[in-house]
Amino acid sequence: MASQCLVASFADPDSLLAAVTAIRARGIKVYDVYAPFPVHGLDQAMGLRPSRLGFVSLAAGTLGLLAALAFQFYANVFDWSMNVGGKPDNSTLAFVPITFEITILAAGLATAFAFFLRAGLFPGASAALAAPGVTDDRFAIVLRWKSTGLEATEAHLILRERGAIDVRHVAIGAER
Amino acid sequence: MTPGVAAPLQAVRGGARGSVLIDQPTRLRRITDDVARPLETRPGGAWCACFGVAFAALSLGIGCVAYEIATGIGTWGLNKTVGWAFDITNFVFWVGIGHAGTLISAILLLFRQRWRTSINRAAEAMTIFAVVCAAMFPLIHMGRPWLAFWVLPYPNSRGPLWVNFRSPLLWDVFAINTYLTISLVFWYVGMIPDFATLRDRTAAGARKTIYGLLSLGWNGSHRTWSRYETLCTLLAGLATPLVVSVHTIVSMDFATSILPGWHTTLFPPYFVAGAVYSGFGMVTTLLIVTRTVMHLEAYITERHLDAMAKVMLLTGSMVGFSYGTELFAAWYGGNQYEWAVMFGRAVGPYAWAFWTMVACNVAAPQLLWSRRVRASVPALFVLSLLVNIGMWFERFVIIVTSLHRSYLPSTWVIYRPTFIEIGTLIGSFGLFFTCFLLFIQCLPMIAIWEIKGDAAIGPSTALRAGPSTELKAGPSTEFRAGPSTGLRAGGGEAAHG
Amino acid sequence: MTTPITFWRSIEELRAQSDVAGGRDCLAALRARGQQPAVPSRRDFLSLAGFSVAAAAFSACSRGAEQKAIPFLNQPEGMTAGVDNWYATTCGGCRAGCGLLVKTRDGRPIKIEGNSQSALSGGGTCAVGQATVLSLYDEERLEGPLWQGRPASWTEVDARIEELLSPGGARPKRIALLSRTVLGPATRALVAEWSAGRGLRHIVYEPISLAALRRATRAAFGVDAIPHFGFGRARTIVAIEADFLGTWLSPVEFTRDYASGRRPEGAAAMSRHIHFESSLSLTGSNADLRVPIAPSEQGAVVLGLLRRIARKLGAGDPVEALETTFDARALDIAAEDLWQHRGESLVVCGARDFDTQIVVHAINALLGNIGRTVDVDLPSLQQMGDDEAMAQLVDDMRRGEVDALILYGVNPAYDYPRADRFVQAMKQVPLTVSFSDRLDETAALADAVCPDHHFLEAWGDAEPVASSFSLAQPTIRPLFDTRAAQDSLLKWLGRQPDFYAYLRDHWRRALYPRQQQFATFDEFWDRALHDGVFALPESRTARAARPLMADWRRSAERIRSSAQTSRAWHEGRFEAHVYETVALRDGAHANNPWLQELPDPVTKVTWGNYAVVAPAVATRLGITAGDVVSLEGRNLHAELPVWVQPGQSPHAVSIALGYGRSRAGRVGSGLGTNAFPLLAGDGQASVPSLAITRTGRHEPLAATQTHHSMEGRDIVRQISPAAFVDRALDPHEVEEAASLWPARPAAEHAWGMAVDLNACTGCSACVTACQAENNVPVVGKDEVRRGREMHWIRIDRYYTGGEDDPATVVQPMMCQHCGNAPCEPVCPVLATVHSSDGLNQQVYNRCVGTRYCENNCPYKVRRFNWFDYANNGRFDFNMNSPLGRMVLNPDVTVRSRGVMEKCSLCVQRIQAAKLAARQEERMPADGDIRTACQQVCPAEAIVFGDLNDPASRVARLAKSPRGYRVLEQLGTRPSVHYLAKIKNAPDGDRS
């Protein structure tokens, strides 16, 4: 399906921020922004919704907690009841530390994996850059349309006057 | 220090005042260059010397452990009364070292302490290596290490046969493994963007492929960046209670026992404070060495050292307070066995160890009240070494003095370490430093993206971040400010030039 | 063309260059034949690969090490594989001749227990008795006869000996038989036959001799033996330098008897024991009042007693007093107490001086104890040594007046005080024959060695006390080509070498007629053999008092005059004092690792002897335990480490006998110093003196206990009789500390133990019994120094009071099998858990060896296997040799390296008893189960049983007013209860 992109490179975060704001002010959708570090204020400028990774943590943590408790209870009370130092089979207090550790472990790992999944990061994933140096010292805005129209030229101008050091039209497929 | 290191910072700072467009990229790139330099150049003589020493120590340790496993725990000095000594002392010591790393990377992140930025990567690495060293000791201290996997609850063909979930040793197993795993994840996630940076600046070849694999196809998309920051915050939020729980559980190895000198509710906070204390001691030692060996004075500045000295002063005083509380409780509690142990520590056969501990952990850190001491790198270096020594002896005192004279006087004995035990201790240091030296040579030991992020933030933030002394600092302290005060750093640079 | 360069690595190779095909370099060989070395082809590769794969596959099919398990082709009568057989026999460990029951498994004796049928020794044994079973499997034993030091056949040896013994020639051969006390009537008869037939001269030699006492008894009562003492009947016991509970005469019998007289719950009042001695002995440590005296003061003590008793009798002062170094008030107390209980009191003395013993007899006679506590009608025959005869023999040998010397169970080249003179003398004897079981110091010098059986392999009998007999029967076919000494004697006498027949015949002729119980001899014999012991009726009848025939006044006078000779310590020297240790006694068992590693009941030191000095002396000389000093005396020049012993006389240096063996064997040779030379010269008149000088060297002693004060902790409770009476009124219930948890449901049993600290003397027999029963490894001197001995039961010994004259308490300490065991919750792998019947179990094969349980045990009774102690050259003791391993108990696992172990309350015995009970469809009755430590205890201080059963002995003892549990306040709820010790001190409530 034919579509094409407009890639504008910037040299400093401030002008990038300004450009993004201006573009969105004109109602043009920003496809994505590429930067060597998380530029503060971009979330609002791009209007990104806050990530929902927190819910993953919560869910996984709760799951780990319940699983750990249930397993220790099962092992000590049902499967293999033993007289250990005269303590009762269900020494729940003694189960707390392990339960806690499992909770943390589950939450941590699940969150990390959720992140990798959502961000499509995995060993050997292709990493074509929007513009040279976006992982080093450049910042890039990528706009994307089904077909070139007035909007594109307008965006081109806006980006230029917001201090883009280089604006290019790229055929589809180059970007993600 | 290498010329012009501070320049890019000045430029980025300058970015706020305009006149940036021309040379800014080159300057952001120079941060990358500085951090990536060790990775792209052959190791220097200093590094090779350090590595040689560390590796020799490691080999000695391997030899001792091999002999011990082949022959029996009898090659150590333990006996019918003292069942633990060097082994668990080293274990607790190394776990403690690890904690500072997590504290710096996680807790300070939550508190938005920006000065942590340039040291947190190294601190996390230290955590991981320390925990690896620690985890080694519970394994080799077993009478039958080849059956160590029995401490894991796995379904087996022996009918219902589970582990003892009431045993603090089992809690350790879970705590240490969780701690190691989460720290590794945190550490690696933090490095992904830097791997991408490195990938994109290396010419095609083996290194590029490796970086490519490690960077998981990172391309700097801001949508990912924003999730990435959430992830880091979440991991930090999880790691913070984790680090507290780990040393709490370690302290329970002793606190839940029936042994006078171990059986006390004071241990969890006491141990956590001690852990942070020793950890910061080790971080200070390492950073002072690293910044000189790798010429990174502009990134690891005296301001960092100052901040860490203050943490040492705080935690050291907490530890000293705990000693006092312990003694007081033993006396006030009126339990003759408890008091016998506490009193015995101060005057018994191991009094020398006790007083070494007090001198290093209670007396020495009080010097840090003086700013001149905190400002002097050599003084800090010596102090940080003392802290490490003192904290090792703390664990030794707790374990051995409590064991060697417990309830029945007929069982009282003297414990003497053997060469094998000492060799194993040296070996653990060898392992730690070997790993750390490899790390600073092969991985970005400073978080490139975080530095850049900080560099890009206005002076106002910088002021908020640093200690209030920052701007009032005298001429001798222009480098204290670190990245976020690149402007003055630049001035300093000029002045020096 | 160029000649190929040939390289060579050695002259040999260079010279051998010619024969290239010499396999040194096969390629070179090929090259020489102008061929190329074969390049492996694909075929070769495939075939090789195929082979190696097949080889790997087959090796994977192997079953590992082969173990021989040969079933009975035809099963022996009355033996089932894996089922114990018990045989009654008589102990050969020392001359006490205790009755034994020997447990054999699959034809191997593996455990020795006392014969409860024996009226003398009862069911108890001593440590030595327990360990004798290991001597049976001693690798140092000779495997056959030797002639001139080289192996020979019995026929050859017999031929040569018979030739040399044959009466042919000018005059009859003068043959001397030098033996230990011969307990067996049959053997005595055999020897008598020799004497009659061949003019054999029989000399009885005891290295540690009671000859003085025997001579005194002969002089005083016309009985050529040693009186049989009744410690149980005595209300007051005064002992002077006589360690009758540990090493003197018949310790097991005396311990049993002594304990029976000291039961506070018993009908009769508890006896009082006053002890005078130079070095703190096991017996002294049990005394109610103990007085340290200088070795040369034994006479002064008996004189002091004599004067006081005589005065009370109104007989005036027979002799004026001697000044003493100790507080003479002790003598007043002793005399008063003796007088109070005249007729039921007892004075015994270990002095090697005739006159002193006469006076002791006189005191007993004056107190009317003869026939009551001192039995001379049926005396003890256990110590018949004759020093004069021995001295005479040595002289005759030196003068060449002995043609043949037969050594039977003696080792004078080691333990004769003038060993050098004896060795000289031996050289003058044309033929010397030894019956020794090993090539010991004496046997090594003998022309012929005709190894005797171990007593567990031999027939025999014994009469330790007149009219009390016991039989000995083989419990195993002889391991080696040995022959009973009696058979040898019979053979050389020209008789049929069948001692069994001889023995049976002797009993038929000598004993059968003296009893009315049995109609036929076979009945009598079978019963005697079955029971192992047989007592004639008169042994139970009352005795009449006997008149004192000797002139004790002259003896008293002689003592006084000889005592005037200047005492050693006046010249800053020390009086030498030698003693036997409970473990090694006279050193005959020096090669027995169990005994070497048995901690001395008092010093707690193992593996070797040392110079015992008083704390004051140590301070004065600036030496501490382990400092090596050199001792210079008339007969002794030695360097040995010092042990600082509270309660030691400041004038005496004590050295243990039985060490310094040069040819005991791998284990016992070269340990410590031989102190026998100090015994040269008889009696107290000539107590040898020693000078001590520091060498500056330090040689740490292998002590199992290094701290000797209770630090004011409530560990061993000791109360006065008065306090006991008060306590007896209020009922005592075992109250448990409050618990946060619901109690677990009670099971059908709750095994527990009660240890009576008042009965326990600390003799340590239980330690060795446990070692034998539970395959406890021996770890050796170095490991003991490191604090790694493996004993499952230990005797904790604490001192109270001043270091010059401390009171001693002992406490057997084994796993307390706590109801709330601190060791259990800390084990990560559940290797130690609680059984439903109250045992704290250790699961060896689950243990990974974290040692947390050891750390968390308040009683520190857990033992860790620091190394492999079996099949390990580093620990070259019995578990390292196939022969030595024959002693192992098949019911108990041999623990591997890296696992924890501890007392199991002999769980194997519990299970066996439960099984037996189940087969009889009943519950195990109280007393069915006896742990090894309980069984061996001569004082019956240990009781095992079911605490759930209120009628059981242990349950009743737990409720005793003396009952308590160690460290109860920790809430560990131990299953082992202790009964407080009662100190019957003369000055009332001193406890």
Side-chain angles (χ1 to χ4, degrees), chain C residues 182-525:
Chain C
V182 178
L183 281 179
T187 314
R188 281 204 296 265
L190 173 58
V191 171
E193 234 177 283
W194 260 82
S195 319
R198 293 281 197 85
L200 174 85
R201 171 175 166 197
H202 181 207
I203 299 95
V204 177
Y205 160 67
E206 288 291 343
I208 300 156
S209 147
L210 298 187
L213 174 54
R214 181 154 149 264
R215 278 174 52 222
T217 318
R218 190 169 53 213
F221 306 105
V223 176
D224 185 11
I226 286 167
H228 185 216
F229 298 107
F231 290 90
R233 291 188 294 280
R235 300 269 62 76
T236 300
I237 299 163
V238 174
I240 303 112
E241 207 58 63
D243 182 12
F244 58 85
L245 295 178
T247 57
W248 195 72
L249 197 52
S250 183
V252 173
E253 176 197 349
F254 292 162
T255 304
R256 173 162 175 262
D257 212 11
Y258 177 83
S260 70
R262 289 175 68 83
R263 303 216 181 281
E265 287 85 358
M270 189 174 146
S271 72
R272 172 166 299 153
H273 171 197
I274 301 173
H275 205 79
F276 298 84
E277 64 181 354
S278 309
S279 185
L280 183 58
S281 70
L282 173 63
T283 312
S285 70
N286 282 280
D288 297 307
L289 171 64
R290 177 183 173 275
V291 186
I293 62 170
S296 58
E297 285 183 318
Q298 295 162 13
V301 173
V302 292
L303 279 195
L305 290 175
L306 177 69
R307 294 177 67 248
R308 288 164 174 76
I309 303 288
R311 218 183 289 120
K312 293 179 191 294
L313 268 170
D317 276 355
V319 56
E320 64 259 37
L322 285 166
E323 88 285 6
T324 56
T325 60
F326 57 88
D327 181 353
R329 270 177 307 165
L331 290 171
D332 302 335
I333 296 167
E336 180 54 32
D337 234 57
L338 287 167
W339 183 251
Q340 290 300 326
H341 300 102
R342 48 189 181 284
E344 50 181 9
S345 61
L346 174 59
V347 181
V348 293
C349 178
R352 293 169 49 243
D353 172 47
F354 172 79
D355 295 312
T356 313
Q357 293 293 4
I358 288 283
V359 173
V360 170
H361 280 325
I363 295 170
N364 279 321
L366 295 176
L367 290 166
N369 295 335
I370 311 301
R372 289 231 176 76
T373 57
V374 181
D375 182 356
V376 287
D377 297 334
L378 295 178
S380 149
L381 308 174
Q382 293 154 314
Q383 281 275 351
M384 306 298 279
D386 185 338
D387 299 352
E388 286 83 357
M390 177 65 180
Q392 184 58 44
L393 174 72
V394 176
D395 293 340
D396 296 352
M397 285 161 66
R398 290 167 70 85
R399 283 197 300 276
E401 291 171 5
V402 177
D403 302 320
L405 176 66
I406 304 173
L407 300 145
Y408 179 16
V410 290
N411 186 9
Y414 161 70
D415 55 26
Y416 189 57
R418 295 276 165 73
D420 48 343
R421 295 186 75 238
F422 183 85
V423 172
Q424 292 299 330
M426 248 181 111
K427 298 209 170 69
Q428 312 303 322
V429 181
L431 172 67
T432 50
V433 182
S434 167
F435 289 143
S436 167
D437 71 332
R438 70 194 59 225
L439 207 57
D440 60 26
E441 291 81 348
T442 314
L445 305 168
D447 302 308
V449 185
C450 305
D452 189 5
H453 290 328
H454 186 277
F455 77 88
L456 289 172
E457 299 167 328
W459 283 100
D461 58 351
E463 187 182 11
V465 171
S467 302
S468 300
F469 299 88
S470 69
L471 270 173
Q473 61 180 316
T475 59
I476 182 175
R477 180 172 295 143
L479 288 166
F480 304 118
D481 183 16
T482 55
R483 185 170 70 183
Q486 294 94 335
D487 284 342
S488 298
L489 289 174
L490 284 165
K491 180 85 173 62
W492 304 332
L493 197 53
R495 298 272 301 274
Q496 178 60 27
D498 177 0
F499 182 63
Y500 168 63
Y502 190 95
L503 175 71
R504 205 165 185 279
D505 184 51
H506 177 80
W507 276 56
R508 182 201 305 280
R509 284 184 288 100
L511 285 175
Y512 175 55
R514 291 169 64 184
Q515 59 84 38
Q516 295 79 24
Q517 213 172 336
F518 299 97
T520 72
F521 173 71
D522 287 338
E523 271 181 53
F524 167 62
W525 176 257

Side-chain angles (χ1 to χ4, degrees), chain B residues 67-84 87 141-148 150-152 154 158 161-170 252-259 262 336-337 340-341 403 405-414 418, chain C residues 703-715 744 783 786-789 794 796-798 811 813 822 824-830 843-852 854-860 862-868 874 896-899 966-967 969-970 972:
Chain B
Y67 177 65
E68 177 251 307
I69 290 178
T71 318
I73 302 290
T75 54
W76 294 352
L78 304 171
N79 54 44
K80 66 190 174 196
T81 305
V82 180
W84 290 345
D87 45 6
H141 101 294
M142 288 186 185
R144 306 199 286 176
W146 48 92
L147 297 179
W150 282 2
V151 301
L152 303 172
Y154 59 95
R158 305 182 187 89
L161 174 60
W162 299 110
V163 293
N164 182 6
F165 296 102
R166 299 177 183 85
S167 166
L169 287 188
L170 198 74
M252 286 175 180
D253 287 349
F254 309 103
T256 61
S257 82
I258 198 173
L259 199 68
W262 284 9
Q336 59 168 333
Y337 305 105
V341 168
L403 279 173
R405 290 186 171 179
S406 64
Y407 289 102
L408 299 188
S410 65
T411 66
W412 291 8
V413 295
I414 290 298
T418 62
Chain C
T704 60
Q705 184 179 339
T706 53
H707 195 88
H708 310 301
S709 150
M710 257 189 293
E711 298 293 318
R713 300 177 179 187
D714 176 25
I715 296 167
R744 298 189 76 97
E783 289 296 294
R786 293 191 179 91
R788 293 180 185 166
E789 71 277 3
R794 62 171 196 263
D796 287 347
R797 187 262 301 111
Y798 300 103
Q811 179 174 54
M813 183 53 68
E824 289 169 8
V826 299
C827 176
V829 293
L830 287 171
V843 189
Y844 303 130
N845 49 5
R846 175 65 168 170
C847 178
V848 297
T850 66
R851 300 185 297 289
Y852 199 173
E854 171 192 343
N855 295 340
N856 211 30
C857 173
Y859 310 92
K860 291 283 181 272
R862 292 181 152 260
R863 296 288 177 259
F864 187 67
N865 285 268
W866 303 101
F867 298 98
D868 268 324
R874 288 174 66 128
S896 81
R897 181 234 300 187
V899 306
V966 178
L967 299 175
Q969 69 275 23
L970 296 179
T972 51

Side-chain angles (χ1 to χ4, degrees), chain B residues 353-367:
Chain B
F354 176 80
W355 292 112
T356 316
M357 166 188 101
V358 172
C360 296
N361 295 353
V362 185
Q366 301 311 318
L367 294 173

Side-chain angles (χ1 to χ4, degrees), chain C residues 579 581 600 603 605 608-612 640-643 654-656 701:
Chain C
Y579 64 99
T581 62
D600 181 274
T603 64
V605 178
N609 63 349
Y610 35 83
V612 183
L640 66 174
V642 157
W643 178 259
S654 307
I655 307 172
L701 292 158

Side-chain angles (χ1 to χ4, degrees), chain B residues 200-213:
Chain B
D200 298 335
R201 59 181 276 126
T202 8
R207 290 165 57 85
K208 194 179 184 67
T209 336
I210 295 169
Y211 289 137
L213 286 172

